[in-house]
Amino acid sequence: MREIKIVLPPPDLTEISANFTIDRGRVSVILTESRRRILRRGIEPIIDGKTYRAAKCDLGKTTEAFLRKYGREHMDRYFTGRKRIAYMLTPVTEEHTTAIWENTYAESHSFQYAERIQGDKVQMHLRTVASDCLRKFMADGVSILEVGCSNGYEMSLAKKGFSGTSCVCADVSPEAIEFAKQHSPAGTYDRFVEVSGNWNESIGSFHIIYSTFGAADTSSFHEIASFVGNNLKRNGLFIGTALNRFAAWDLVLSAITGKRGYARNRLSGIIPAGDSRYPVTVYARSVKEISSNGILHPVAFRGLSMLFAPYNYRRINRILIKIPFMRKLDEILSGIFPLSLLCEYILFVLSPATG
């Protein structure tokens, strides 16, 4: 459900279609400058037969919600370069818009995740390479904690051929956990655990903790390292990925296309919400930052994606990913020092610090 019909009362008597998000019965829409007069102050539009009051709301927060639901490519296509304004539509009565509300989970999580991540061949290629790295450290009977729920793609690949392995999946989002329950292959996860945003729980003692393309990018690395330290066996390993602060391909393309502000943000290590595939602020890191956390000791590093452009340059990706030789060449070059220090992601293996 990507659009809703908004019926305007007299004297307009007009029906418009708009993208939307919904939270606790309140509908948020973003309109461009040319359409903002439609929801002028005091107007009471009608959605699904229920009357709402329109009021301006925070554009930044609404944009984050839109990015989660529709993705960066959609936002770029319809909103880039245009002045825009966000409105929140609140029901005049206490009734919730049940029909819309019931669709919220399915569209904002299942559909959008599948479309934007699983449907991206470059992302799936990177996840396969990360899963292959995990397999190198697998053995029969190991226990694994995956931090950050997804559809179980990487873990299901890694577990093939090994017996007696167990895997617990942990996430701060109950919606992400529910998504993993519904979409991961049978037998991938043995248990699901919801953790707090402080990452201070002790879930158990695991041989391997695995976290790629998510938790380490959106949280303090020190917090993640502390969480890992609390749940990792003395001889265990933490395998994960982090956005690389010095991703050469991304920085070059950003300079060529005039996105110098983004390039500066990436070099500084903080990328604001909406400038990456994440709807929240993310952190780019260097190998030195990951190595010097004081809790975990570096075992191995390699790069991930030397040749493939970042997700926001999708046309280049679509061409290169079709060529098997390019996929293999990217995998080889990404593992060669010093090229590995210039890739889109850093793939790291850490162990508990001793002494």
Side-chain angles (χ1 to χ4, degrees):
M1 195 172 186
R2 298 177 67 87
E3 291 185 338
I4 51 172
K5 301 290 185 182
I6 301 176
V7 181
L8 304 178
D12 296 272
L13 288 176
T14 304
E15 182 179 278
I16 65 171
S17 297
N19 294 147
F20 74 101
T21 62
I22 186 168
D23 180 32
R24 296 178 178 86
R26 294 170 298 184
V27 178
S28 295
V29 297
I30 296 178
L31 300 180
T32 56
E33 183 76 17
S34 60
R35 302 177 73 192
R36 60 186 296 180
R37 63 176 181 78
I38 293 172
L39 294 180
R40 59 187 178 274
R41 186 175 180 82
I43 201 168
E44 294 189 343
I46 298 172
I47 305 172
D48 283 359
K50 295 182 176 65
T51 304
Y52 286 73
R53 289 193 181 94
K56 294 180 183 178
C57 63
D58 187 283
L59 178 60
K61 291 182 179 179
T62 306
T63 300
E64 287 185 25
F66 266 63
L67 284 165
R68 280 194 294 270
K69 179 176 179 181
Y70 296 103
R72 182 72 187 180
E73 189 174 25
H74 178 89
M75 294 293 288
D76 286 344
R77 181 178 179 184
Y78 293 104
F79 293 100
T80 296
R82 302 177 183 179
K83 291 184 179 180
R84 46 194 163 162
I85 189 168
Y87 285 95
M88 180 175 289
L89 311 179
T90 306
V92 171
T93 65
E94 293 297 320
E95 294 176 295
H96 287 293
T97 50
T98 306
I100 301 176
W101 177 255
E102 288 176 347
N103 279 293
T104 302
Y105 169 77
E107 65 197 12
S108 63
H109 295 284
S110 306
F111 175 77
Q112 291 302 326
Y113 187 92
E115 173 136 331
R116 292 193 286 118
I117 303 299
Q118 294 171 241
D120 188 319
K121 294 185 182 299
V122 172
Q123 287 292 329
M124 298 307 290
H125 167 69
L126 300 185
R127 289 170 183 270
T128 301
V129 175
S131 180
D132 289 343
C133 176
L134 173 59
R135 282 185 62 84
K136 294 177 182 178
F137 299 95
M138 293 277 286
D140 292 340
V142 301
S143 57
I144 307 169
L145 171 62
E146 183 171 10
V147 180
C149 291
S150 63
N151 65 333
Y153 175 79
E154 295 164 65
M155 193 57 59
S156 63
L157 284 181
K159 289 177 68 176
K160 285 182 178 179
F162 295 100
S163 61
T165 58
S166 62
C167 184
V168 174
C169 186
D171 204 292
V172 297
S173 168
E175 290 86 359
I177 291 174
E178 187 60 31
F179 177 87
K181 288 180 179 179
Q182 294 187 22
H183 294 83
S184 56
T188 300
Y189 300 115
D190 300 276
R191 183 162 60 99
F192 297 88
V193 178
E194 182 181 348
V195 298
S196 72
N198 296 323
W199 296 102
N200 55 9
E201 288 89 348
S202 292
I203 298 174
S205 183
F206 299 88
H207 294 100
I208 297 174
I209 295 181
Y210 184 73
S211 181
T212 57
F213 312 107
D217 300 325
T218 58
S219 304
S220 160
F221 196 81
H222 185 79
E223 289 180 352
I224 294 293
S226 298
F227 175 79
V228 169
N230 290 337
N231 293 277
L232 194 62
K233 291 182 180 293
R234 289 177 61 86
N235 60 343
L237 295 173
F238 176 33
I239 303 172
T241 62
L243 276 172
N244 184 12
R245 181 182 292 201
F246 305 110
W249 195 210
D250 193 20
L251 294 172
V252 168
L253 286 174
S254 297
I256 292 174
T257 56
K259 299 178 181 178
R260 294 180 177 84
Y262 167 80
R264 285 192 295 269
N265 288 334
R266 178 132 195 181
L267 285 170
S268 73
I270 303 177
I271 307 174
D275 277 352
S276 71
R277 72 179 177 89
Y278 301 100
V280 296
T281 297
V282 295
Y283 304 93
R285 312 182 197 278
S286 66
V287 170
K288 183 178 180 180
E289 289 174 89
I290 297 171
S291 304
S292 58
N293 63 82
I295 300 173
L296 301 170
H297 177 76
V299 175
F301 288 96
R302 64 157 290 152
L304 203 54
S305 187
M306 180 68 215
L307 299 179
F308 294 118
Y311 86 104
N312 46 321
Y313 300 98
R314 297 171 70 92
R315 291 181 182 177
I316 300 175
N317 285 340
R318 290 191 184 110
I319 296 172
L320 296 181
I321 197 66
K322 293 179 180 179
I323 308 172
F325 170 76
M326 294 300 294
R327 293 197 297 270
K328 189 62 179 179
L329 181 61
D330 175 70
E331 187 176 344
I332 293 172
L333 294 179
S334 298
I336 299 175
F337 180 86
L339 295 179
S340 56
L341 302 179
L342 303 176
C343 294
E344 177 69 6
Y345 293 95
I346 300 167
L347 179 59
F348 56 80
V349 181
L350 308 176
S351 65
T354 57

